[in-house]
Amino acid sequence: MPTSSSPSQPDTPLLDPTALPTRFDSVEALDEFLSRPSQALVDDLAQIEGDLMILGVAGKMGPTLARLAKRAAPHKRVIGVARFSDARVRERLEGWGIETIACDLLDRAAIAALPRVPHIVFAAGHKFGAKDNQALTWAMNTHVPALVADSFRDARIVSFSTGNVYPLTTVGRQGASERTLPGPVGEYAQSCIGRERMFEYFGAKHGTPGRLFRLNYAIDMRYGVLFDIASKVHRGEPVDVTMGYVNVIWQGDANAQVLRALRHCTVPPTPINCTGPETLSVRWLAGEFAARLGVTVEITGQEASTALLSDTTEAARLFGYPLVPLGAMLDWVADWVRSGGPSLGKPTKFEVRDGTF
């Protein structure tokens, strides 16, 4: 296994796309691999001066994002901020060398009391169950970004966003690029445009560099589009193909791009898409999982002429193509589901076409 010889990064395994694991025997093994940095990430973080704080670190991607940053740049302070309603998440982060601060990001005074660091990744937000609490969705996705953008006016800020801000695009053509006008469907997606507008407004007002990271969909063994489809196939449930096509990217690749985007911030902040380069047929994915799981699959619905798809030409120019290929993800997810691996219980709801999450 290759390691970095840099004095600032002793004995840290680097991601080697030519020597990928065949399976993951535990959550610990999965988290270790998800947080294994590439040489490109190590090099990019070495080019930015100062420490890093991740706001909303306790979410789906936050823990491995923080660990990835710390392993790629062990000489930097990496600070994780969240409410930490699950104390186990905080303990795990601190065991990885990440400093933690409990903070309610809806509290203006609490935000003002956070350390002043030159680099911020904003990973807070509200999606799951958004339709049941629209007020909280808007507060977390627009009010909190405004507070953060105004308070951290002297930092670089890369903010998670979503491809849901785009309209559905015609299948068979290039997906939505950063030049595509937003067309959010439903209040969740509308609130995500609100989040972007807050960072744009305060970025322009204060001269704060930033980037709006439009992601769909990250893949982990415990959640994601591939997990959702594989789980249905394994349980013998029908797979609806009305939303007939998707993009996916390995979560480790997505997290690496988030961190590398700190070198590519603009004033005011501008969007960048993040996903895999392939346009994947949901029907084909269901068949691939059925073959790997040794079962038959029932398909319902008929593919619509449009889908939520993104063009990642710009991300590929800046970061290169994702290092973990689709074939490996299919094998890993099928094995995880067949073996009864744990789930985060957070379906992507990628099938939704009316914006109701």
Side-chain angles (χ1 to χ4, degrees):
M1 189 71 64
T3 60
S4 169
S5 59
S6 167
S8 64
Q9 191 190 348
D11 303 323
T12 299
L14 296 179
L15 177 60
D16 181 359
T18 69
L20 298 176
T22 57
R23 67 188 306 270
F24 298 102
D25 294 320
S26 65
V27 168
E28 290 74 22
L30 173 59
D31 283 344
E32 189 282 326
F33 183 75
L34 278 167
S35 58
R36 194 174 293 182
S38 65
Q39 186 63 57
L41 174 60
V42 172
D43 294 342
D44 273 359
L45 289 187
Q47 296 299 312
I48 64 173
E49 295 184 5
D51 300 322
L52 168 68
M53 186 156 60
I54 300 169
L55 305 180
V57 74
K60 300 189 307 298
M61 297 176 66
T64 54
L65 172 64
R67 188 183 186 189
L68 177 66
K70 188 64 179 177
R71 296 179 84 186
H75 56 289
K76 296 183 187 294
R77 291 175 70 199
V78 177
I79 305 166
V81 177
R83 288 175 300 172
F84 293 115
S85 54
D86 184 347
R88 294 170 298 178
V89 175
R90 190 173 191 176
E91 292 171 2
R92 192 161 79 249
L93 287 166
E94 291 177 348
W96 293 335
I98 292 105
E99 300 176 39
T100 63
I101 299 173
C103 175
D104 181 357
L105 293 175
L106 286 164
D107 184 336
R108 186 190 303 268
I111 290 174
L114 290 172
R116 301 295 102 174
V117 297
H119 306 291
I120 302 288
V121 174
F122 184 84
H126 188 248
K127 174 181 179 180
F128 297 102
K131 67 181 178 63
D132 299 320
N133 196 341
Q134 300 289 15
L136 176 62
T137 299
W138 282 90
M140 287 300 303
N141 292 351
T142 60
H143 178 59
V144 171
L147 296 177
V148 168
D150 195 31
S151 183
F152 287 94
R153 61 187 66 181
D154 297 322
R156 286 173 169 254
I157 304 175
V158 174
S159 170
F160 274 93
S161 186
T162 171
N164 287 99
V165 301
Y166 290 123
L168 302 181
T169 57
T170 302
V171 175
R173 300 180 186 175
Q174 201 74 347
S177 77
E178 293 85 353
R179 296 185 300 275
T180 302
L181 292 177
V185 178
E187 289 203 45
Y188 165 70
Q190 292 163 9
S191 73
C192 292
I193 280 291
R195 173 171 52 206
E196 292 191 4
R197 297 302 187 225
M198 293 301 98
F199 283 113
E200 289 176 41
Y201 172 77
F202 287 102
K205 179 179 179 180
H206 301 310
T208 305
R211 215 66 199 251
L212 310 168
F213 196 77
R214 293 175 174 172
L215 169 65
N216 61 288
Y217 289 98
I219 297 302
D220 181 337
M221 299 305 96
R222 296 158 289 193
Y223 75 92
V225 170
L226 300 187
F227 178 85
D228 292 348
I229 295 173
S231 297
K232 285 189 174 184
V233 171
H234 188 244
R235 293 192 299 262
E237 298 175 5
V239 176
D240 188 343
V241 299
T242 307
M243 182 72 88
Y245 298 86
V246 294
N247 304 127
V248 302
I249 185 171
W250 178 244
Q251 180 178 300
D253 279 316
N255 277 341
Q257 290 189 15
V258 169
L259 296 171
R260 295 181 68 188
L262 288 165
R263 282 197 66 202
H264 301 280
C265 293
T266 62
V267 179
T270 51
I272 185 165
N273 293 343
C274 175
T275 193
E278 303 95 346
T279 296
L280 304 174
S281 159
V282 173
R283 185 186 297 267
W284 177 82
L285 288 171
E288 288 295 303
F289 282 123
R292 284 166 170 79
L293 294 168
V295 299
T296 58
V297 60
E298 179 185 352
I299 300 294
T300 62
Q302 184 63 44
E303 289 85 349
S305 61
T306 58
L308 184 68
L309 299 169
S310 295
D311 172 4
T312 56
T313 300
E314 178 62 9
R317 183 184 72 81
L318 293 177
F319 310 124
Y321 282 93
L323 296 182
V324 174
L326 174 65
M329 288 187 272
L330 294 175
D331 290 342
W332 294 340
V333 171
D335 177 77
W336 189 269
V337 169
R338 180 174 50 242
S339 302
S343 164
L344 295 184
K346 294 183 177 181
T348 58
K349 301 184 181 180
F350 75 91
E351 309 98 324
V352 171
R353 297 180 62 84
D354 63 0
T356 302
F357 296 100

